[in-house]
């Protein structure tokens, strides 16, 4: 039975991580969080304080981190020092050379090349690469454009409570990210991470990221140009057999909530493209496949090597 | 003092039409609606039943229609028979050859070429063409892609009440339009109407339309390729001087609500484009500039000819 630690277990993603671990039969689990939450009970477990020494001494095989980027930078090395493989959901290590950035259905083999840390991608990059990978393998990606519809749970449990408390008349779209030049840092993350995961360092890709007043579930409107021609029917056939993907007529966050799959639909030819253009729409549960589930799938890949 | 009739004055757009007419100094106004609403008071006016004979005998200069497509088809000809110029907000006449489809800031001159009917475009097409026109005039449009974020008020007052009554946990994205082949009819309208208004019958343009759980205000994420190069700075300069447009850092439906302008921002170069690519984001009040105000502006153009 693998020993697993969840760090940041009291947050929106941490909660889902603990539930999914239980549902997938992982029962040797310890949960860590900040001093403020230490002593609380969650999913029948007592929260321990996530100090460097506690993590180094935890004696676990895998440490799943769902904390902010600066906390990850501080704590992850100590879990690794203690012998754990750290699966980190923050952006701290995603683009670091030599650290695998993994979506199991897309580049699962890379998870086994770790040196103690595997990074979990951004919640928009995960479903996007699940949809792009089978198309790229078949005909090559030439360029990608994405508009996102991201739920507030991506900004944390506190923002969910704020949306619940806000009068519906005040519900608005927001772009609540940090600027990175003329883009949001979310937009530059999607580009850089998709390039790394797909191993296409020069893929032309641009995103516009938008927060919508939905609690759970991210959606993306995607324009794709491919190197070789691919009809909408052929793309549909490829995606029907793509791991982690489920075809539906109209994907929506509500339909994706609590499911493991990336919902893909509205696949059609792009009438605006000069050549080889496709349009599609996708949705996934940003807390499940967009975060907690993807990290657990990475952990299971890593543990399967330990067991073998 | 021009005599104006508002048909469909009890709906979401009709209400805004009556308010804007008052604010703009139009005081000789009659309001018509279905038999169900006849006799009600609205903005100090008694609602009259919109029958063919009542409209033919109304003796008005302009009749502003905010009713469904089938009601427009039935009633508009009778208002015209009675001597009024009909400004129709439904899709009934928009694509009919010889009937002007007008955004005053974009093709206002066409309003004067009417033969009794002027059509008002779709609530997404209006702000889109306001942003595209100055770019086209400067460097030519090569292709356009749009993802929409449309508020529920675009689907009528009843849908607004439903959203207000719905638990926030159920708020979702929807695509609540009719299918037109592999597109929604909203998507094909945006293409066909933008082509007609911009007088670019072959403009490559594709849209993905999405309803978001926001009460008022539509937003659009837009990718543009131009024939000649145009930097983000040059595009910003052009849009800063475009009629009906106001530049803001981050446009949102909330910021656009109750304003007359199309808010445009996030103007940047498209890193995914092969050449001459721009990205921008826009928002406008779909009930004001997206519908009622645009129709009143058309009426004022038509009336200025009558007065002259």
């Amino acid at each position: 039975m693998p020993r697993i630690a969840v760090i940041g277990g009291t947050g929106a993603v941490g909660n889902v991580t603990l539930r999914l671990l239980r549902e997938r039969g992982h029962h040797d689990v310890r949960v860590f969080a900040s001093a403020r939450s230490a002593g609380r009970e969650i999913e029948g477990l007592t929260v321990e304080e996530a100090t460097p020494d506690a993590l180094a001494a935890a004696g676990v095989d895998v440490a799943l981190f769902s904390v902010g980027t600066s906390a990850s930078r501080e704590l992850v090395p100590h879990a690794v020092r203690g012998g754990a493989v750290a699966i980190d959901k923050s952006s701290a290590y995603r683009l670091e050379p030599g650290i695998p950035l993994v979506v199991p259905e897309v580049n699962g083999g890379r998870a086994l090349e770790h040196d103690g840390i595997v990074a979990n991608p951004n919640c928009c990059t995960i479903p996007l690469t699940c949809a792009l990978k089978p198309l790229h393998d078949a005909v090559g990606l030439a360029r990608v454009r994405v508009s996102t519809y991201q739920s507030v749970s991506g900004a944390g449990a506190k923002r969910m409570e704020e949306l619940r408390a806000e009068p519906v008349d005040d519900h608005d779209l927001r772009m609540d990210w940090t600027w990175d030049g003329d883009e949001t840092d979310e937009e530059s993350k999607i580009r850089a991470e998709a390039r790394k995961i797909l191993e296409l360092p020069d893929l032309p890709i641009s995103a516009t990221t938008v927060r919508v007043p939905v609690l759970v579930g991210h959606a993306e409107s995607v324009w794709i140009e491919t190197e070789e021609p691919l009809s909408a029917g052929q793309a549909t056939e490829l995606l029907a057999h793509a791991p982690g993907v489920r075809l539906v007529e109209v994907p929506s966050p509500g339909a994706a909530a609590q499911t493991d799959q990336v919902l893909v639909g509205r696949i059609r030819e792009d009438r605006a493209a000069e050549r080889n253009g496709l349009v599609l729409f996708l949705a996934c549960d940003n807390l499940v496949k967009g975060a907690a589930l993807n990290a657990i799938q990475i952990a299971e890949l890593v543990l399967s090597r330990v067991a073998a």
Side-chain angles (χ1 to χ4, degrees), chain A:
Chain A
M1 174 77 75
R3 297 156 300 169
I4 299 176
V6 174
I7 298 93
T10 55
V13 172
N15 263 283
V16 176
T17 302
L18 291 171
R19 175 173 61 78
L20 291 176
L21 283 172
R22 178 172 42 75
E23 289 173 8
R24 294 168 80 92
H26 299 288
H27 297 300
D28 191 346
V29 175
R30 291 171 68 178
V31 55
F32 294 83
S34 64
R36 208 180 54 242
S37 300
R40 274 179 56 187
E41 293 278 319
I42 180 166
E43 290 262 339
L45 303 167
T46 303
V47 176
E48 303 173 61
E49 185 179 349
T51 64
D53 286 348
L55 294 178
V60 297
D61 301 301
V62 164
L64 294 163
F65 282 82
S66 309
V67 296
T69 299
S70 61
S72 274
R73 284 199 191 286
E74 185 202 337
L75 296 172
V76 162
H78 296 284
V80 174
R81 172 164 64 91
V85 177
I87 320 288
D88 184 46
K89 298 194 196 82
S90 83
S91 61
Y93 299 100
R94 288 179 190 157
L95 300 179
E96 230 166 85
I99 294 188
L101 179 66
V102 175
V103 180
E105 295 87 345
V106 177
N107 65 339
R110 294 292 179 202
L112 306 183
E113 297 171 4
H114 70 82
D115 199 23
I117 304 174
V118 183
N120 190 75
N122 173 280
C123 46
C124 284
T125 316
I126 291 170
L128 180 63
T129 54
C130 285
L132 292 178
K133 175 66 171 170
L135 306 181
H136 176 71
D137 286 348
V139 291
L141 294 174
R143 62 198 75 248
V144 177
R145 296 173 174 93
V146 189
S147 280
T148 72
Y149 301 72
Q150 297 178 236
S151 63
V152 297
S153 57
K158 183 160 168 281
R159 288 291 308 282
M160 296 174 74
E161 290 317 307
E162 286 170 1
L163 185 71
R164 283 204 176 91
E166 186 181 85
V168 67
D169 289 74
D170 295 344
H171 286 191
D172 198 4
L173 307 180
R174 301 190 200 281
M175 292 186 176
D176 50 9
W177 295 277
T178 305
W179 294 110
D180 178 10
D182 62 358
E183 296 183 300
T184 67
D185 65 344
E186 190 83 349
E187 290 159 359
S188 54
K189 278 178 195 171
I190 291 172
R191 173 186 306 105
E193 295 180 20
R195 285 173 169 177
K196 179 169 177 174
I197 296 163
L198 296 166
E199 298 176 18
L200 296 169
D202 302 315
L203 178 66
I205 172 167
S206 64
T208 292
T209 57
V210 180
R211 188 81 65 197
V212 296
V214 167
L215 282 168
V216 174
H218 286 8
E220 302 177 33
S221 171
V222 188
W223 278 266
I224 300 161
E225 282 176 53
T226 56
E227 294 288 356
E228 301 297 322
L230 186 73
S231 72
Q234 290 168 324
T236 302
E237 186 64 22
L238 288 168
L239 288 162
H241 297 97
V245 168
R246 180 155 55 93
L247 292 184
V248 298
E249 191 180 38
V250 177
S252 77
Q258 310 262 348
T259 70
D260 289 357
Q261 287 93 19
V262 179
L263 308 187
V264 180
R266 308 260 6 243
I267 303 162
R268 57 203 193 277
E269 278 155 53
D270 177 11
R271 290 166 163 85
E274 199 164 356
R275 59 181 175 280
N276 305 346
L278 287 170
V279 192
L280 59 81
F281 199 74
L282 64 82
C284 99
D285 187 320
N286 57 301
L287 303 178
V288 178
K289 182 56 187 166
L293 175 65
N294 195 76
I296 293 172
Q297 289 172 320
I298 294 171
E300 289 169 349
L301 280 174
V302 167
L303 290 166
S304 70
R305 186 170 63 165
V306 174

